[in-house]
Amino acid sequence: MTAVETLTYPDPAAACDLASRNAERGALVTLFGTCTVEYEGRAASSLGPGDRHVMLKPDGAALVHTDEGQQPVNWQPPGCDHSVTVDDGTLVVRSTRSTPDESLEVAFETVAHAAAFDVSDSADLALTGTEADLKERILETPALVEEGFTPLATERETAAGAVDVYGEDSEGRTVVVELKRRRVGPDAVGQLGRYVEALERDLHADSEVRGVLVAPSVTDRARQLLARKGLEFVAVEPP
Amino acid sequence: MTAVETLTYPDPAAACDLASRNAERGALVTLFGTCTVEYEGRAASSLGPGDRHVMLKPDGAALVHTDEGQQPVNWQPPGCDHSVTVDDGTLVVRSTRSTPDESLEVAFETVAHAAAFDVSDSADLALTGTEADLKERILETPALVEEGFTPLATERETAAGAVDVYGEDSEGRTVVVELKRRRVGPDAVGQLGRYVEALERDLHADSEVRGVLVAPSVTDRARQLLARKGLEFVAVEPP
DNA sequence: GACTTAATGTCGGTA
DNA sequence: TACCGACGTTAAGTC
């Protein structure tokens, strides 16, 4: 049975005991209450008093959530060291790391709830509909790119990075395929352009290299950019 | 006082009551227990049984967290409709939206803990060290770009998008400045290149346009790309 | 709603 | 560890 330990309206000392003891143990700890948050590292931020939900994960991640937004208002990535203390009667959670030097400090005016959960999770997420799946589809049915297209390699290295699918057309010309699982903008065109240029330099100067962007759709600007650079677009819906 | 309602090891009906009643009220609801998660929308995913922490926010966001990672293993963005029901004796949380059509379903084998929190948070995050701050710094001290640089506009529109800082050098040549708060790779060079090309087309064909990338540092590939495109780099540390 | 870009992006793979 | 690109990226500002 998944073990749970909770306290409602604990005093700072009791909340500190629960949090630090369980975090040490490798449990997932949550705290809810009125707090301020200070962050300093790659950037710096300050957040005045308000009610927030703080989560300390066994892997060293820390998350501070407000009532709004999918993203935490403040956080610390996995690998950080957490400490929970009582300073001058207030509960303070600190999470720090080096490389880069970053620190997060949550100071609780009041703690409304503290909880610790024993988490056991061995399951892996099975995700489909990614770019990797699109690549599989192209390799299975190369004609989706164009009749007579022959894939020769995936992740082929160039001076500009790895090409998604590398192959040749029915006339034997080199074809670079860049895959995107969703509608693309100018950035993807630039990426494809860099691969094409790199291959034109790598291979002989005389060899023509075609660049094909495979995606569900493109924006106007991206289409213009493709035209200007002599690159092509093929619409392929994701699986 | 921030109101809190909690249940430890509730039966499905009690957990459902707490969750649905409080979510309806605009409270932040959390559930912890053994569950499976199914997602379908832009992509699709399936997650076998394991212990997870589920958060339902008043703005319609939903987050499913495992013991690892800063990011939730599954989620739903703000604006979704949540429902909590008991189906065949198991607690099921559903979160859906349209445009795009997406659904998330969390089915609890057992619920170890359920909680609801009244959240009141009016504070705004004060963040410094962003690209906007770097722009301010450049406008205050244009010599950081180069002696004699004169900013003329920010966010100047071009056919390729808005330029961070637009100005001219001591010789009257047009200068496009692209700012990055951190070390940059090839993508930022491509971005700058698009702006320069667009301005060279917009302005007269004879007018030379300089492109300057302002960032703490660049990668090797980015530096080579800059050289090949005739673009420049100026190292500026963030504030 | 679509488009473009920033982000303390995060995350995973690879050299 | 740095680099590079994908991500169900998300979020913000603009049109």
Side-chain angles (χ1 to χ4, degrees):
Chain A
M1 186 58 148
T2 57
V4 176
E5 181 181 349
T6 68
L7 290 170
T8 303
Y9 305 124
D11 61 49
C16 178
D17 172 67
L18 182 150
S20 51
R21 183 165 36 81
N22 284 285
E24 187 70 27
R25 256 186 352 101
L28 187 156
V29 172
T30 65
L31 296 164
F32 180 83
T34 308
C35 60
T36 60
V37 188
E38 304 294 323
Y39 154 75
E40 195 163 339
R42 290 165 291 174
S45 74
S46 185
L47 185 63
D51 302 337
R52 283 127 208 170
H53 183 278
V54 176
M55 181 185 295
L56 303 177
K57 288 198 180 189
D59 69 355
L63 302 168
V64 182
H65 274 279
T66 67
D67 57 335
E68 292 184 339
Q70 177 177 149
Q71 299 301 134
V73 64
N74 279 112
W75 69 90
Q76 205 67 298
C80 291
D81 293 318
H82 301 322
S83 86
V84 185
T85 59
V86 177
D87 289 15
D88 296 331
T90 69
L91 184 72
V92 177
V93 177
R94 289 189 187 79
S95 177
T96 60
R97 65 162 171 164
S98 36
T99 60
D101 245 301
E102 292 200 298
S103 70
L104 179 70
E105 186 172 309
V106 184
F108 282 89
E109 203 171 285
T110 64
V111 178
H113 189 70
F117 306 101
D118 278 34
V119 193
S120 147
D121 190 347
S122 57
D124 279 325
L125 184 74
L127 180 66
T128 61
T130 64
E131 185 182 298
D133 295 312
L134 178 55
K135 175 164 34 174
E136 289 308 308
R137 214 150 92 80
I138 295 299
L139 294 179
E140 266 176 36
T141 316
L144 284 172
V145 175
E146 116 188 334
E147 202 57 48
F149 172 65
T150 307
L152 297 174
T154 67
E155 307 305 322
R156 185 193 187 282
E157 278 301 331
T158 74
V163 166
D164 285 342
V165 181
Y166 173 89
E168 60 182 28
D169 65 15
S170 59
E171 319 247 320
R173 283 174 298 210
T174 296
V175 178
V176 173
V177 178
E178 173 62 27
L179 305 171
K180 292 294 170 193
R181 64 174 303 283
R182 63 172 196 176
R183 185 172 172 84
V184 297
D187 52 340
V189 180
Q191 197 183 337
L192 175 58
R194 292 199 297 276
Y195 297 146
V196 170
E197 282 180 30
L199 275 171
E200 285 179 339
R201 284 196 308 276
D202 282 10
L203 307 176
H204 299 87
D206 56 337
S207 60
E208 184 191 353
V209 178
R210 293 175 56 198
V212 180
L213 188 55
V214 172
S217 59
V218 290
T219 66
D220 266 354
R221 275 223 258 266
R223 191 180 290 277
Q224 291 165 19
L225 203 53
L226 281 167
R228 196 168 310 119
K229 297 201 170 197
L231 302 172
E232 303 161 57
F233 166 70
V234 172
V236 174
E237 290 301 320
Chain B
M1 190 55 149
T2 55
V4 175
E5 181 181 351
T6 69
L7 290 171
T8 302
Y9 304 124
D11 61 48
C16 179
D17 172 65
L18 183 150
S20 51
R21 183 164 37 81
N22 282 285
E24 188 70 27
R25 257 187 349 103
L28 187 156
V29 172
T30 65
L31 296 164
F32 179 83
T34 307
C35 60
T36 60
V37 187
E38 304 294 324
Y39 154 75
E40 194 162 341
R42 289 166 292 173
S45 75
S46 184
L47 184 64
D51 302 336
R52 285 127 207 170
H53 183 278
V54 176
M55 181 184 296
L56 302 179
K57 287 197 180 190
D59 69 354
L63 302 168
V64 182
H65 274 279
T66 68
D67 57 334
E68 290 184 339
Q70 179 178 146
Q71 298 302 133
V73 65
N74 278 112
W75 69 91
Q76 206 65 300
C80 292
D81 292 319
H82 301 322
S83 85
V84 185
T85 58
V86 178
D87 289 16
D88 296 330
T90 69
L91 184 71
V92 177
V93 176
R94 289 188 186 81
S95 176
T96 60
R97 65 161 170 165
S98 36
T99 61
D101 244 300
E102 293 200 297
S103 70
L104 180 71
E105 186 173 310
V106 184
F108 282 88
E109 202 171 287
T110 64
V111 178
H113 189 69
F117 306 102
D118 278 33
V119 193
S120 146
D121 190 348
S122 57
D124 281 324
L125 184 74
L127 179 67
T128 61
T130 64
E131 185 182 298
D133 295 312
L134 179 55
K135 176 167 27 175
E136 290 306 308
R137 214 151 93 80
I138 296 299
L139 294 180
E140 266 175 36
T141 316
L144 284 171
V145 175
E146 110 188 339
E147 201 58 46
F149 172 65
T150 306
L152 297 174
T154 67
E155 306 306 323
R156 184 192 188 283
E157 278 302 330
T158 74
V163 166
D164 284 343
V165 181
Y166 173 89
E168 60 182 27
D169 66 14
S170 59
E171 318 245 323
R173 283 175 297 212
T174 297
V175 178
V176 173
V177 178
E178 173 62 28
L179 305 170
K180 292 293 169 194
R181 66 173 303 285
R182 61 172 198 178
R183 184 173 174 84
V184 297
D187 52 339
V189 180
Q191 198 182 338
L192 175 58
R194 293 200 298 278
Y195 297 146
V196 170
E197 281 180 30
L199 277 172
E200 285 177 340
R201 284 195 309 276
D202 283 9
L203 308 176
H204 298 87
D206 56 336
S207 60
E208 183 191 353
V209 177
R210 293 175 57 198
V212 181
L213 189 55
V214 172
S217 58
V218 290
T219 66
D220 266 356
R221 274 223 258 265
R223 192 180 290 278
Q224 290 165 19
L225 204 51
L226 282 167
R228 193 148 44 237
K229 297 201 172 200
L231 302 173
E232 303 161 56
F233 167 69
V234 172
V236 174
E237 290 300 322

